[in-house]
Amino acid sequence: MIQKLIVSKSSKRIYQECLKVLYFDEFQQRRLLLSKACDGTFKWIWTNDRFVEWYDGGSKMLWIHWKPASAKSTMMKFIRQGLIHRPHPAGEKYIVVDFFYSVRGNTVEQEHIWMLRSILWQILAQCPYLWPDAVLQLFTLESRSKASDEPEKIANWFSSWLSDENLQWLLQSVSQCDSTRSAITIYVLVDAMDESELLNRRRIAMSLLELTTHQPKISDRPIIFKVLVASRPTLQPTLSVTKASG
């Protein structure tokens, strides 16, 4: 019990410093620049069969692909707001996290590492209990230091550790966490995937899909990932949704 308490305190220290490193000011920059949808414009999405199946079911990934200049990003912003404010069953815990790629912006809005950092920071800032204790072991092994060391040493190690591959591993570790206090649904919205950097784009898309295929060990306290991706039809989607008629 004493050893477990020490590990918990050490992991918390690692968590606090790593969370600071993950954060960056521009994580919601593109979304904030988007105009609000006109009243009634996208209400049809809530009755679209494929969207309803994604929304009502368990862990799933849905890929929306529309032609250029069809207001996909505005719709994704609309969906985000709807997911946040729509009524949920009493006691049901959920969070909505997002990242909007943009070819108009700087590298922060195009490179996958920033998307991964953004998604991870949003999840872990709201759900600290999903922080994997395995990161403590990594820090101890790779830096040959202890978590009792000064915060600067932890931050420097984590900054040098950050990469697309390592952040994908961290995100998968979160999805497989078996220490959740209660069931939680995590909505992950990624807009304009076609405007992201081409390097490793397919691998990143598969990594997002894998979030929906891993189930935690404790089946009565599941982590449900609902991933929604939007892009032009130049990319090959896993699933798609088209505007309902009428």
Side-chain angles (χ1 to χ4, degrees), residues 3 26 52 55 58 82 101 118 128 130 143 151 161 166 168 172 176 185 193 195-196 212 226 243:
Q3 182 179 5
E26 304 93 333
V52 171
Y55 180 73
Y101 285 108
S118 173
L130 293 180
S143 69
W161 181 83
N166 286 341
Q168 287 176 74
Q172 296 302 325
Q176 299 174 58
T185 297
M193 179 66 82
E195 297 186 26
S196 67
T212 68
K226 294 180 179 292
K243 184 173 179 179

Side-chain angles (χ1 to χ4, degrees), residues 187-241:
Y187 297 96
V188 180
L189 277 59
V190 178
D191 180 57
M193 179 66 82
D194 56 298
E195 297 186 26
S196 67
E197 61 176 330
L198 185 59
L199 181 65
N200 296 325
R201 183 187 287 169
R202 179 176 176 80
R203 188 175 71 182
I204 293 295
M206 291 304 298
S207 181
L208 292 172
L209 176 61
E210 287 172 4
L211 291 177
T212 68
T213 60
H214 290 145
Q215 293 296 325
K217 296 176 182 178
I218 303 177
S219 58
D220 61 337
R221 293 187 295 173
I223 306 173
I224 297 174
F225 271 90
K226 294 180 179 292
V227 180
L228 185 65
V229 179
S231 75
R232 299 179 182 183
T234 51
L235 297 182
Q236 292 298 320
T238 303
L239 293 171
S240 62
V241 56

Side-chain angles (χ1 to χ4, degrees), residues 16 18 37 47 54 64 69 89 111 113 161 165 173 183 187 219 244-245:
Q16 292 171 336
C18 291
T47 57
W54 171 81
I64 298 175
E111 294 180 352
I113 191 169
W161 181 83
E165 185 177 358
S173 297
Y187 297 96
S219 58
S245 58

Side-chain angles (χ1 to χ4, degrees), residues 142-154:
E142 295 189 8
S143 69
R144 297 184 179 180
S145 303
K146 296 180 179 179
S148 58
D149 289 335
E150 62 273 18
E152 183 179 356
K153 182 172 289 188
I154 298 173

Side-chain angles (χ1 to χ4, degrees), residues 95-157:
I95 61 173
V96 181
V97 303
D98 66 277
F99 187 81
F100 285 57
Y101 285 108
S102 176
V103 73
R104 303 172 188 82
N106 55 28
T107 57
V108 172
E109 295 178 73
Q110 298 173 37
E111 294 180 352
H112 302 304
I113 191 169
W114 298 103
M115 182 276 288
L116 293 166
R117 284 178 61 167
S118 173
I119 295 299
L120 278 164
W121 180 84
Q122 292 174 72
I123 293 174
L124 294 170
Q126 297 178 76
C127 306
Y129 54 87
L130 293 180
W131 178 254
D133 283 337
V135 180
L136 171 61
Q137 300 171 14
L138 275 175
F139 171 75
T140 303
L141 289 172
E142 295 189 8
S143 69
R144 297 184 179 180
S145 303
K146 296 180 179 179
S148 58
D149 289 335
E150 62 273 18
E152 183 179 356
K153 182 172 289 188
I154 298 173
N156 289 340
W157 166 77

